[in-house]
Structure formats: structure tokens, C-alpha cells
Amino acid sequence: MESSDSTSLVLAKKPRNELVQVTERSKALVESGPPRTSNMEAPIMLLSGHQGEIYTAKFHPEGNVLASAGFDRQIFMWNVYGECENFHVINAAHGGAIVQLVYSEDGHNFYTASTDKTVGVFDSNTMQRIKRLKGHTLYVNSCSPARRGAPLIVSGSDDCTIRVWDQRYRASVVNMNATYQITAVSFGDSGEQVVSAGIDNLVKVWDTRKPERPIFEMSGHNDTITGMSLSPEGTHVLTNSMDNTLRTWDIRPFASQERCTKIFTGHQHNFEKNLLHCAWSPDGALVSAGSADRFVYIWDTNTRKIMYKLPGHLGSVNDVDFHRVEPIILSAASDKQIYLGEFDDSI
């Protein structure tokens, strides 16, 4: 109270015309800054509250809410606008660290992959867990819902299996056996196509109707693939790897022989060997990836140039996500913090 009162006294002693000049200068500084591109309260918002490393965070498809999770086994729900309040916490959502969280296409559910060997299914409205999918025998590193059709989820695990679940049933409906640990999975454009990657550095495409072996494999990465994201139109996947490259792959059945279509560089992986994720912008014009050097990288998909290298984090950036409606990017890191930053998507 003392400092507040003394400040008021100092201001009271200033001549009125001087106060007006100070106010006008401040207003001019604000107005002369870069033009705003989103409806966030400020161009950059910092969200803190987690007690451990944050491994994953995603915007709800409608864009008003985001969810985050990590080492502390809790799921935090945040408002995207206003003061970005943490309005709910799901405690002990899993018995181990939560390494990936993804929303369904319609936003009604979100899904979590955990080191407790299970996949969680949560209702976005009630924020209650409605299913716990059991079957994997080791850490579940990744999960992803199908974009359309039946409510299917695919998961990949250190037990070298890929499982497809129908959330209406208890057990997995399709099992695919890989030779090595699986670190990233995604459905293709339909629920019949599954894409997987792991410590063998290969991207594999499976047909769930013929799960005995992959229908084709794609090589190019020289180290473990840590994250995967399906493109907005469903024809390509984006992969992040410990070889310090980000690549796009054509997963259409009758694509040309060379399926690796783009290579992006600049970001880093390090000795921590975290599962660093990656993301497409809603229109596919930009891609972004987690990086161990504490920066958030955004590349132009066509030119492969780095458009933004955003500082702020004090630890490895583990997950990134683009807002579906506005030019806002989310980043979650090992420093227990989340940043929301607006950018100019017209560049």
C-alpha cells in the first residue's frame, strides 16, 4: 500500500499539462507499435501453473480453450482470450507422465498417451475421463484420432505395437506389430490408413484391413522420429526427428517414387531426447516444430525458409500448435510454461 500511495503522491505533484503529455506519449507508443493480428489481450501471453515439464498442449478446434499436460500427470484447461486463466485442472489424469494430448476433429473429446501404458479418453465438456484404453505393455508414446467416420484412435508404444481403438469398445480392434519401438502415430485421411514412425528412423504406412505388414515404408531420416502431424488436406505427414530435420512425406497410395517432398532445418534436438512434436498451420502454408534450443521455429512450407524464430522459453520446446481461426501459435516447454504468440500470417 505504501508504494501505491507514494506513487499517487508523485503523480499528484506533477503539473496537469505534464501528465497529459506523458499520457499522450504512452498512447502514441502503443499506437506506433506493430499492428495487432489477433484478439488476444496482448501479442504474447505467458501461461504458468504446471509443477513439471510440459510435454504436450493443444488448442480446442473452436479456439477458445487449450489443454496442456506433462510430467506432473495433470491436465490444465486454459482460456485463450482475456487473461488466459487456468479454469480447471484434472488431477491424477494418469498414473504416469502424459506425453501427448490431441483433440477429436469435432472437439467433443480429447485423448492422452501416457507412460502408465494406457490411452485416456476425456469428454471436453465435462472434463471427465470416460474411458481408459488398456492393452499396451509398455509406455504409450503417441495417440491420434481419426478425422472422420467411426470414433477411432490409434496409439503407438514402446512395446513395438500399434493399436487401433474404437472408443465404443474396451479392447483394441486392430493390432499391428512393428519391429522397433513406436514413437509417433497418425491416421491418414481415412480411418483405414495409419502412419507410424519410431526408433528405426522409418515412416511406415499401414492399411488397417491388412495389418500384417506395412503397405510401404519411407526412408530419409537418420535418427529417431519424435513427432508426426497430418496435413490439413490429409495427403502428407510432417515428421520431426532427432537428426535435426523436419520432413514432409506424400502418403497418397499412388504418389511418385520420391515421397519425401520437403526438408526443413534450423531447429535442434539434444541429449534430453524428448519427444518433440510438430504442427501444420490450418491452411498448410506454415509448419512449426519443437526444438531443444528453446526457440519456436515457423517455416514457410513452399520456400522452406524460417519465417519466425521466437524466443522466450527457458527449456526445450516440446510441443507446438496453430490456432485454427487466428494467427496464434502455442508452445509448451520443459520450463513448465506455455506461450501464446500472435504472428503476421500475411508475410
Side-chain angles (χ1 to χ4, degrees):
M1 286 298 291
E2 288 181 10
S3 59
S4 176
D5 290 342
S6 60
T7 304
S8 301
L9 286 170
V10 170
L11 288 174
K13 291 175 183 176
K14 281 183 176 290
R16 178 170 175 78
N17 61 342
E18 191 175 333
L19 281 175
V20 170
Q21 290 170 6
V22 169
T23 305
E24 289 299 322
R25 280 200 300 271
S26 302
K27 187 178 178 183
L29 282 171
V30 171
E31 290 177 350
S32 65
R36 295 294 307 279
T37 61
S38 81
N39 288 306
M40 287 200 305
E41 189 164 279
I44 301 170
M45 298 295 288
L46 173 62
L47 287 59
S48 58
H50 276 282
Q51 299 303 306
E53 296 182 26
I54 306 173
Y55 295 137
T56 181
K58 287 289 182 289
F59 287 115
H60 185 282
E62 291 179 357
N64 293 322
V65 169
L66 69 90
S68 61
F71 185 76
D72 60 11
R73 303 180 293 172
Q74 297 176 314
I75 300 172
F76 278 52
M77 311 300 295
W78 311 82
N79 287 318
V80 171
Y81 299 109
E83 296 183 0
C84 296
E85 301 93 347
N86 165 223
F87 65 88
H88 188 74
V89 178
I90 304 173
N91 290 302
H94 277 277
I98 300 167
V99 293
Q100 190 166 22
L101 182 151
V102 284
Y103 275 98
S104 61
E105 192 70 13
D106 59 13
H108 292 165
N109 298 111
F110 60 86
Y111 310 96
T112 50
S114 172
T115 60
D116 69 2
K117 310 174 190 176
T118 69
V119 176
V121 181
F122 293 81
D123 185 301
S124 296
N125 294 317
T126 65
M127 288 168 284
Q128 299 292 316
R129 188 177 67 204
I130 55 178
K131 272 271 186 358
R132 192 175 180 187
L133 305 175
K134 298 180 181 179
H136 285 295
T137 57
L138 290 172
Y139 291 176
V140 182
N141 295 313
S142 181
C143 64
S144 176
R147 284 190 174 172
R148 60 175 185 269
L152 301 177
I153 309 107
V154 64
S155 58
S157 167
D158 276 353
D159 64 12
C160 306
T161 68
I162 303 149
R163 291 176 180 260
V164 176
W165 313 81
D166 185 324
Q167 70 182 56
R168 296 169 295 186
Y169 305 104
R170 181 168 292 183
S172 54
V173 293
V174 180
N175 299 330
M176 292 162 275
N177 295 312
T179 311
Y180 299 95
Q181 292 99 312
I182 301 298
T183 51
V185 290
S186 174
F187 277 107
D189 193 44
S190 73
E192 295 166 350
Q193 185 186 47
V194 165
V195 189
S196 71
I199 67 167
D200 60 355
N201 315 337
L202 297 173
V203 179
K204 299 178 182 180
V205 178
W206 308 74
D207 187 328
T208 58
R209 297 163 296 184
K210 300 174 183 178
E212 296 80 18
R213 62 184 62 86
I215 53 177
F216 59 88
E217 300 178 352
M218 299 176 287
S219 60
H221 281 301
N222 299 314
D223 208 338
T224 299
I225 296 163
T226 63
M228 181 184 295
S229 179
L230 180 66
S231 66
E233 74 279 8
T235 58
H236 292 70
V237 291
L238 179 70
T239 54
N240 194 5
S241 168
M242 290 183 187
D243 65 9
N244 299 330
T245 68
L246 188 69
R247 293 172 183 250
T248 58
W249 308 85
D250 191 333
I251 58 170
R252 290 174 292 184
F254 306 106
S256 61
Q257 194 66 30
E258 183 49 62
R259 289 183 175 273
C260 179
T261 56
K262 296 279 173 63
I263 302 174
F264 307 87
T265 58
H267 65 307
Q268 299 291 319
H269 284 64
N270 65 8
F271 64 91
E272 293 179 62
K273 297 192 178 297
N274 283 5
L275 294 178
L276 307 183
H277 301 294
C278 50
W280 298 81
S281 65
D283 60 1
L286 303 170
V287 292
S288 182
S291 180
D293 65 0
R294 307 177 180 182
F295 288 92
V296 177
Y297 290 81
I298 302 177
W299 292 265
D300 182 287
T301 309
N302 291 323
T303 65
R304 291 172 288 175
K305 291 181 179 178
I306 296 172
M307 303 299 291
Y308 294 93
K309 182 180 177 183
L310 307 173
H313 282 293
L314 303 174
S316 174
V317 178
N318 300 316
D319 203 359
V320 291
D321 193 29
F322 286 94
H323 196 278
R324 290 205 188 179
V325 182
E326 298 194 288
I328 303 170
I329 190 163
L330 166 162
S331 57
S334 293
D335 61 6
K336 310 175 187 177
Q337 297 179 328
I338 299 165
Y339 273 104
L340 303 182
E342 66 179 36
F343 58 93
D344 186 355
D345 61 348
S346 64
I347 294 176

